[in-house]
Amino acid sequence: MAEKRKLCLSAKGLTKVFGFGKTRTVAVDNVDFSFYEGEVISIVGESGSGKTTLSKMLLGLINETEGEIFFLGQKRDIRSQRNKQEYWKNIQAIFQDPFSSYNIFNKIDSVLLDCIKMRGGGNLPKEKKIEMMREACSFVNLKFDELTNKYPFELSGGQMQRLMIARIFLLKPKILLADEPTSMIDACSRATILDMLMELRKEIGMTVIFITHDIGLAYYVSDSVYIMEHGKFVESGTPDEVILHPKQPYTKRLINDVPKIYEEWDLSTVG
Amino acid sequence: MIHTLQQIFHSGKFKLGFAIFTSLLAFIFIYPIFIPEAPLAILGQGTFFPPGIYVNVYDSLDTSKYIINQEGAAKRRIANKLSEDDRVAIKEYLVAAGVDESRIDITNTDELLQQWKATFDPKRSIKGFTNAKRNYYIRLNTALQSLYSTGPAIIAVNDPETNTLLESKKVTVTEYVNVNEVPTVRIFPLGTDNFGRDMLTELVAATKTSLQIGFIAGLIATLIGLTLGLLAGYIGGFVDDIINFISNLFIVIPPFVLLVLISFSIGQEQRGASTVAAVIGFTSWVWTARAVRSQVISLRNRDHVNLSKLSGHSIPHIILTDILPYIASYVIMAMILQISSGILAEASLSILGLGPKTTEVPTLGLMMNWAMIYQAQLQGNWWAYFPVLAVIALIAFSMNLMNTGLDQVFNPSLRD
Ligand SMILES: Nc1ncnc2c1ncn2[C@@H]1O[C@H](COP(=O)(O)OP(=O)(O)OP(=O)(O)O)[C@@H](O)[C@H]1O
Ligand SMILES: [Mg+2]
């Protein structure tokens, strides 16, 4: 890339340890990285490699055991509740499991209203708020007028994740952490949701940190790819470098695990 | 909300418990409307009148008379006149006079009197009987003659001028009064207690106070437990350590021992019903706090809480909207249990004589205490303690039923 890339989120020696003694797990093990503004960064790894733990630390939802996180080149300080709330205006997330992401006692419009309030729109006239929510919903192909007075659990998994994207649409954060947003839904809505995410990214120009275990997907959407194994980044670079010319055996295995539709299955190995 | 209510009332156990509890409540509130009497008013002179209808003898003399010829009336009259002591004395004589003991049945009046007639001989002296005893039996024999008398009884009044008795009324054996026409009738459906107070009125008032005590105690315990549990669970760290330390203190010293010690040190005079309720509440919050804490810990890292944080909500807002509703059903269930155990705790305290002071209001525990002190159970005065026990059992039973019913609704794995 020709222009100078601006640092957006970076970390040094980031470590997270759960438990102690016999139950001690090092979920994230001394990782360093630099994510640049406007890019799509993919973090790929198999289940249990520490992807979600890393993203929760980046979001400031759990404390790091060791290491430092830098936001826009500055050391991040979110010890006070106030700083945290300020930080969360810049960084947002879509979680892995849409079914547990919503408070089952709150109606859908309150989810979207919170976003408007967070952007300082709490005092806007009611009509204006409704118009904004309607716009956000239509962006993700949901009909706002059918959703008011409904509860999140009355939606399908795909609709819930689309509602999550509508949230991001209203919040317009600098960084979005999407933690396997499509792993719990069917292949058909998966494509739609990815399309919407990428379109939204273009529209508001945010950095997207895309967490997935599907290395093929990472190849198509990202500007840089990080491969994670047992809490460590074992390989990183552009998709071409990492996926077309993998150096690590772990990366090769991840690539080989992707089923290839046009390849004939070797049935002799089965049974 | 409506859906949840429907589900709750779908559970058979909850419905049964709810029905028992509401009928109990309804009775407590309706009864005083019809019988607005002070629950501690002393009516009877004497202890433990058995349940029944009490008709004023004096007033029944002035009530219009009906002549009824009833078969068997004479027999029952004689049986009633022959007292327990007389029967035992007769038996003693008969045995001493050589009648086979197995043939004597003191409950069978007819036979007993026949045996007496056949055996008794005033001139006969029986070995081992003193002269005084012989005279006693002669007097008894004369008295027994009058058992058969059917002449009218004469009611006389004293003429203050001449100081003589004037005949005012005659009562014959076939005269009856209608109970409905006697102006002064008192019904004691559950008899009276050791102080001569109407047991039912007292029981209703006691149930009401005990429920209030249980409710206040349950509310206090639940509020304290809930607040501490939420703080310890959500904030964690130092706050959690302090709260944990306090709860451990309360766990190491069994709450009932603490309850006894505190009640004792407050002293009889200061112990009103609400004080006792507060003391029970302050000593029984620990398990609620523990349970709430562990539930909050499992909730606080859920994604919906994370989303709420990311939406810029403050900690109090998150606790109130993202944590509390999720444990509300559990807290309500815990509170129902706290209420019923509060009632039981009051009863246990009062039986030990550490309950509320006795002059103000009756409670279920106090009633048990009174019955016990006056040895109702030894004298066979079942009405002084059995209804109280039944009410305590009914309250605990219905509340536990409601609780299991709720459990089935909130915890799908328990549904049958
Ligand atoms: N709260 C926790 N307490 C203890 N251990 C945890 C906790 N959260 C995660 N771990 C452990 O940390 C490791 C990484 O978990 P993480 O959820 O980050 O994996 P992941 O890469 O997101 O997996 P997946 O693809 O299945 O979502 C796992 O071994 C997990 O058991
Ligand atoms: Mg994960």
Side-chain angles (χ1 to χ4, degrees):
Chain A
M1 242 176 255
E3 83 250 48
K4 193 171 178 293
R5 298 195 298 176
K6 266 205 325 209
L7 210 55
C8 163
L9 202 61
S10 55
K12 244 203 205 127
L14 197 55
T15 304
K16 178 73 193 182
V17 181
F18 288 114
F20 47 85
K22 271 190 185 157
T23 61
R24 186 182 139 101
T25 330
V26 184
V28 175
D29 192 358
N30 196 16
V31 299
D32 303 317
F33 56 81
S34 306
F35 297 159
Y36 294 94
E37 242 174 50
E39 290 193 343
V40 176
I41 300 110
S42 290
I43 299 174
V44 189
E46 53 181 15
S47 185
S49 54
K51 306 180 300 289
T52 300
T53 309
L54 177 64
S55 81
K56 293 253 161 87
M57 272 195 290
L58 293 180
L59 283 165
L61 292 173
I62 55 177
N63 294 328
E64 57 272 19
T65 313
E66 248 168 74
E68 282 168 349
I69 296 172
F70 300 89
F71 175 61
L72 303 176
Q74 306 254 328
K75 194 174 178 313
R76 184 182 77 170
D77 175 18
I78 51 164
R79 271 169 301 179
S80 74
Q81 185 67 17
R82 201 135 172 262
N83 286 359
K84 260 188 189 153
Q85 285 176 343
E86 205 53 42
Y87 181 63
W88 286 327
K89 283 186 185 161
N90 293 308
I91 186 162
Q92 281 291 329
I94 297 176
F95 296 121
Q96 195 165 358
D97 178 7
F99 298 95
S100 70
S101 296
Y102 294 97
N103 182 331
I104 55 168
F105 297 97
N106 288 349
K107 294 213 176 112
I108 287 168
D109 37 346
S110 84
V111 175
L112 296 174
L113 269 177
D114 284 343
C115 301
I116 296 178
K117 267 186 216 151
M118 202 170 172
R119 292 277 300 178
N123 295 325
L124 289 173
K126 206 178 164 207
E127 296 76 44
K128 177 73 183 145
K129 284 184 193 163
I130 289 179
E131 198 192 304
M132 287 168 79
M133 289 194 279
R134 191 171 286 138
E135 193 196 355
C137 285
S138 72
F139 180 83
V140 292
N141 254 331
L142 289 173
K143 291 195 178 62
F144 174 71
D145 302 276
E146 288 171 16
L147 295 183
T148 48
N149 279 321
K150 266 200 175 179
Y151 288 93
F153 56 81
E154 293 172 291
L155 299 179
S156 73
Q159 285 174 321
M160 285 188 197
Q161 285 306 51
R162 267 144 62 192
L163 187 67
M164 274 292 166
I165 299 176
R167 254 189 98 244
I168 308 300
F169 180 91
L170 285 170
L171 284 166
K172 299 190 176 38
K174 279 202 175 64
I175 307 169
L176 173 66
L177 258 157
D179 185 358
E180 304 192 52
T182 57
S183 68
M184 308 282 279
I185 40 191
D186 63 284
C188 198
S189 8
R190 194 171 295 176
T192 331
I193 283 172
L194 284 173
D195 280 349
M196 284 171 180
L197 261 180
M198 289 310 141
E199 199 184 319
L200 177 62
R201 178 195 156 239
K202 245 186 268 161
E203 195 156 326
I204 53 183
M206 62 188 173
T207 311
V208 175
I209 301 168
F210 191 68
I211 293 172
T212 180
H213 54 252
D214 183 347
I215 200 162
L217 194 65
Y219 180 73
Y220 289 110
V221 298
S222 44
D223 297 310
S224 54
V225 177
Y226 286 76
I227 307 290
M228 198 170 195
E229 183 189 15
H230 294 310
K232 281 196 169 80
F233 283 156
V234 290
E235 196 165 358
S236 65
T238 64
D240 284 346
E241 283 167 15
V242 176
I243 297 168
L244 296 183
H245 309 286
K247 292 185 198 78
Q248 297 287 330
Y250 178 73
T251 319
K252 285 178 193 157
R253 216 183 72 222
L254 282 178
I255 295 167
N256 284 333
D257 282 349
V258 178
K260 295 184 182 70
I261 296 172
Y262 302 107
E263 232 169 56
E264 258 187 66
W265 286 28
D266 184 5
L267 291 177
S268 61
T269 58
V270 183
Chain B
M1 187 66 205
I2 290 172
H3 181 70
T4 322
L5 276 183
Q6 269 172 355
Q7 259 201 333
I8 289 173
F9 278 93
H10 191 72
S11 152
K13 281 184 185 162
F14 183 87
K15 268 192 285 192
L16 180 60
F18 188 76
I20 296 175
F21 191 71
T22 37
S23 12
L24 207 67
L25 269 190
F27 190 71
I28 291 169
F29 284 102
I30 292 173
Y31 182 87
I33 298 174
F34 290 100
I35 302 171
E37 214 167 52
L40 292 185
I42 293 174
L43 306 173
Q45 260 182 47
T47 60
F48 298 127
F49 295 178
I53 304 171
Y54 290 77
V55 183
N56 187 302
V57 183
Y58 190 89
D59 289 340
S60 63
L61 294 176
D62 290 323
T63 312
S64 48
K65 304 286 182 301
Y66 302 91
I67 305 294
I68 300 174
N69 290 310
Q70 227 192 149
E71 213 176 306
K75 218 171 169 182
R76 265 183 276 157
R77 185 176 308 116
I78 292 165
N80 185 42
K81 276 183 186 171
L82 194 60
S83 74
E84 191 69 29
D85 291 344
D86 290 344
R87 285 168 203 259
V88 174
I90 291 173
K91 184 179 176 184
E92 194 190 343
Y93 183 90
L94 290 178
V95 172
V99 178
D100 186 3
E101 191 171 351
S102 61
R103 279 182 49 232
I104 304 168
D105 177 10
I106 60 169
T107 53
N108 187 340
T109 320
D110 250 6
E111 208 184 274
L112 194 66
L113 288 177
Q114 260 161 31
Q115 284 169 331
W116 171 260
K117 234 185 231 167
T119 321
F120 183 70
D121 177 4
K123 288 183 201 93
R124 184 173 163 188
S125 68
I126 290 171
K127 213 166 66 190
F129 274 22
T130 56
N131 236 10
K133 201 149 196 178
R134 227 176 70 205
N135 287 337
Y136 164 76
Y137 278 108
I138 291 169
R139 280 202 304 281
L140 179 63
N141 189 43
T142 330
L144 289 181
Q145 307 297 322
S146 75
L147 280 183
Y148 293 98
S149 89
T150 50
I154 291 167
I155 311 288
V157 285
N158 189 21
D159 185 343
E161 274 177 32
T162 58
N163 215 7
T164 50
L165 289 176
L166 296 177
E167 179 184 321
S168 87
K169 278 188 193 71
K170 262 188 193 153
V171 184
T172 64
V173 288
T174 48
E175 276 180 10
Y176 286 76
V177 292
N178 186 334
V179 173
N180 294 333
E181 290 170 11
V182 181
T184 44
V185 172
R186 174 74 204 198
I187 305 173
F188 289 126
L190 294 178
T192 72
D193 72 356
N194 51 295
F195 298 114
R197 306 188 280 222
D198 184 348
M199 271 291 291
L200 185 62
T201 312
E202 199 182 353
L203 185 62
V204 167
T207 310
K208 197 171 165 184
T209 356
S210 280
L211 279 177
Q212 279 167 345
I213 289 177
F215 193 78
I216 294 173
L219 204 66
I220 291 177
T222 308
L223 277 182
I224 297 177
L226 182 62
T227 319
L228 292 185
L230 281 174
L231 290 178
Y234 192 81
I235 297 173
F238 187 56
V239 179
D240 189 21
D241 290 341
I242 292 180
I243 293 172
N244 245 335
F245 177 73
I246 302 174
S247 358
N248 281 338
L249 279 187
F250 274 83
I251 287 172
V252 173
I253 310 165
F256 195 73
V257 173
L258 208 60
L259 196 55
V260 167
L261 291 178
I262 295 178
S263 304
F264 185 73
S265 54
I266 286 176
Q268 170 83 28
E269 276 317 297
Q270 263 65 50
R271 276 201 310 263
S274 41
T275 320
V276 170
V279 171
I280 295 173
F282 277 111
T283 51
S284 57
W285 52 266
V286 183
W287 295 109
T288 307
R290 289 245 138 169
V292 168
R293 173 180 172 271
S294 62
Q295 299 235 338
V296 173
I297 286 175
S298 81
L299 273 170
R300 71 174 173 194
N301 290 323
R302 292 250 196 110
D303 278 346
H304 79 267
V305 178
N306 285 332
L307 190 77
S308 187
K309 286 179 183 169
L310 289 178
S311 301
H313 292 145
S314 62
I315 290 177
H317 186 275
I318 290 175
I319 289 181
L320 287 181
T321 62
D322 297 304
I323 304 277
L324 201 53
Y326 280 80
I327 57 171
S329 53
Y330 178 82
V331 172
I332 289 172
M333 277 163 36
M335 182 158 154
I336 290 179
L337 281 189
Q338 294 274 25
I339 291 175
S340 84
S341 62
I343 291 168
L344 293 180
E346 185 278 325
S348 325
L349 268 188
S350 297
I351 286 177
L352 295 180
L354 291 168
K357 69 175 156 226
T358 52
T359 46
E360 278 170 358
V361 278
T363 69
L364 293 176
L366 284 176
M367 289 181 74
M368 286 302 292
N369 185 30
W370 292 327
M372 207 177 71
I373 291 176
Y374 287 84
Q375 296 180 331
Q377 75 280 22
L378 296 182
Q379 300 169 25
N381 302 327
W382 55 269
W383 58 90
Y385 58 90
F386 184 73
V388 187
L389 277 181
V391 169
I392 293 177
L394 223 54
I395 293 173
F397 178 64
S398 65
M399 291 196 135
N400 279 296
L401 266 186
M402 283 197 274
N403 208 35
T404 0
L406 283 179
D407 217 9
Q408 283 178 342
V409 173
F410 294 131
N411 188 346
S413 64
L414 292 177
R415 264 174 226 167
D416 35 33

